[in-house]
Amino acid sequence: MKILVIGPSWVGDMMMSQSLYRTLKAAHPQAQIDVMAPAWCRPLLDRMPEVNQALAMPLGHGALELGERRRLGVSLRDTHYDCAYVLPNSFKSALVPFFAHIPQRTGWRGEMRYGLLNDLRVLDKAAFPLMVQRYAALGYETGKIKTAADLPQPILWPKLQVTGAEIAAVKIAFAVDNSRPLIGFCPGAEFGPAKRWPHYHYAVLAEKLISEGYQVVLFGSAKDNAAGEQIRLALTESAQTFCLNLAGKTSLDQAVVMIAACQAVVSNDSGLMHVAAALDKPLVALYGPSSPDFTPPLSHQAKVIRLITGYHKVRKGDAEEGYHQSLIDIQPEQVYQELNQLLSARKEI
């Protein structure tokens, strides 16, 4: 069986989509699963053993470009895919499998995709409250899974593969001090500071961890580098030696490997949080206006801290530097206690 998946465009969504690939592979061990997604997703897909190959989606997020999507679809006809799964809900995301003449094209109805998808599922959001449940449900025959309770348990959560040799090589590349265990911080947020735990709280936590013999590594994209520097420069001069700001300095693949090298991770609600969960790292996930009710970290080693309820569509908070009060109210000592418990439990295993 040859399967084409039209994958999501965000790190967190791409990570959660692995549950579908694992579900399909469990049901069809010989299946060949190819995933079409933006080129930057390839490092994640290459670490998913269920994926045969990543196919680059050359069109930008939001671009219709009907002619180019038709060309892409036609170019795939000779591959003779048996079925396709379209994970984004947009009309345009369903065009390539349609033009590729793939016999079965499965997905949630989304933007009225009648005709483009011929295995069209109507989503009851209350029946499938989690994104990972919605992805996994598509891997079963129409009508078989009516609610999340019908899904075979446990759901196959995302799980990335990283080798010890890769960890050793990346540590050398970034001159990481091997004398101290690593704790990763992911302080960035894609859509503004309202989802960020304040840099001064991160700094207090980092100072305490460094005093106990840890080394702190900061992860993120180039636009998160300034947030990382705020944390590093808020430390005492002696502690700065043991705080490495890699935000914007690594490729996504190097960041994945470095996170795998960490003893534990503290993160805002972000794509890298889901990477840490898929690497089975002890993880403290800090939520403010965004909600873990839809996309929580999928790991038994994760602890979510959130002091408010509901979903608040806020990109910039009212507090100084755009922070949201609900995240300001999460104190470093509480995070430290949760982190310490996770680390202690890991040592006992």
Side-chain angles (χ1 to χ4, degrees):
M1 180 185 289
K2 290 186 175 181
I3 300 171
L4 176 67
V5 177
I6 305 299
S9 298
W10 305 106
V11 171
D13 295 358
M14 179 55 72
M15 288 308 314
M16 284 178 283
S17 73
Q18 191 185 4
S19 287
L20 170 62
Y21 318 149
R22 294 190 68 192
T23 298
L24 291 171
K25 200 70 171 175
H28 311 284
Q30 302 305 314
Q32 171 188 305
I33 302 174
D34 295 343
V35 181
M36 178 171 281
W40 62 261
C41 292
R42 181 162 195 149
L44 300 177
L45 293 167
D46 285 348
R47 295 191 176 279
M48 299 179 184
E50 305 79 22
V51 175
N52 173 62
Q53 66 174 329
L55 305 176
M57 166 56 79
L59 303 177
H61 185 69
L64 177 59
E65 299 194 42
L66 186 62
E68 181 61 17
R69 290 180 193 273
R70 184 180 187 283
R71 187 198 66 76
L72 270 174
V74 170
S75 73
L76 294 174
R77 287 179 186 175
D78 290 342
T79 308
H80 301 293
Y81 286 109
D82 297 291
C83 54
Y85 294 85
V86 181
L87 301 191
N89 286 324
S90 62
F91 170 84
K92 61 185 176 295
S93 63
L95 289 169
V96 169
F98 174 78
F99 288 130
H101 292 171
I102 297 174
Q104 180 177 310
R105 304 180 299 278
T106 300
W108 298 110
R109 181 172 60 185
E111 292 181 350
M112 303 296 285
R113 301 185 288 186
Y114 298 103
L116 294 180
L117 299 179
N118 56 13
D119 177 18
L120 193 70
R121 317 281 179 93
V122 178
L123 176 63
D124 179 348
K125 293 182 178 180
F128 299 98
L130 299 180
M131 178 180 279
V132 68
Q133 295 166 344
R134 298 173 188 182
Y135 284 158
L138 292 175
Y140 297 92
E141 293 178 13
T142 306
K144 184 176 181 180
I145 307 294
K146 293 184 171 60
T147 72
D150 298 329
L151 287 168
Q153 298 297 320
I155 292 177
L156 299 172
W157 282 348
K159 191 174 181 63
L160 297 180
Q161 291 188 336
V162 176
T163 67
E166 290 173 320
I167 290 172
V170 170
K171 278 185 165 186
I172 291 170
F174 290 99
V176 174
D177 181 359
N178 279 318
S179 68
R180 285 172 169 249
L182 306 179
I183 302 289
F185 286 1
C186 304
E190 185 68 26
F191 295 113
K195 287 172 65 174
R196 285 177 47 206
W197 197 41
H199 70 278
Y200 44 83
H201 283 349
Y202 270 116
V204 170
L205 179 61
E207 194 83 44
K208 187 167 183 62
L209 291 169
I210 290 167
S211 73
E212 294 183 352
Y214 289 100
Q215 182 175 192
V216 171
V217 184
L218 309 174
F219 298 101
S221 65
K223 70 179 186 180
D224 300 323
N225 184 266
E229 279 302 284
Q230 278 187 303
I231 295 168
R232 195 181 66 82
L233 294 174
L235 300 175
T236 59
E237 192 172 340
S238 60
Q240 287 179 23
T241 305
F242 302 106
C243 182
L244 183 61
N245 183 9
L246 294 185
K249 297 179 182 177
T250 66
S251 65
L252 177 57
D253 193 57
Q254 288 172 322
V256 171
V257 176
M258 280 294 293
I259 289 172
C262 292
Q263 299 291 306
V265 174
V266 178
S267 179
N268 307 324
D269 174 18
S270 68
L272 290 180
M273 176 195 73
H274 292 287
V275 168
L279 290 167
D280 204 28
K281 295 286 113 180
L283 168 67
V284 181
L286 308 172
Y287 281 78
S290 60
S291 172
D293 294 341
F294 183 43
T295 55
L298 301 174
S299 168
H300 294 298
Q301 301 230 52
K303 172 65 179 180
V304 171
I305 301 178
R306 192 183 191 220
L307 303 181
I308 58 173
T309 59
Y311 173 72
H312 309 267
K313 194 172 184 179
V314 178
R315 295 193 176 189
K316 186 175 182 181
D318 294 332
E320 189 176 348
E321 299 186 71
Y323 295 134
H324 196 270
Q325 190 61 47
S326 64
L327 280 161
I328 294 172
D329 290 342
I330 299 174
Q331 294 302 304
E333 182 60 29
Q334 181 183 3
V335 178
Y336 172 78
Q337 294 295 340
E338 297 290 356
L339 182 62
N340 212 29
Q341 286 184 22
L342 288 170
L343 287 167
S344 297
R346 186 67 172 242
K347 288 174 185 175
E348 292 172 3
I349 295 174

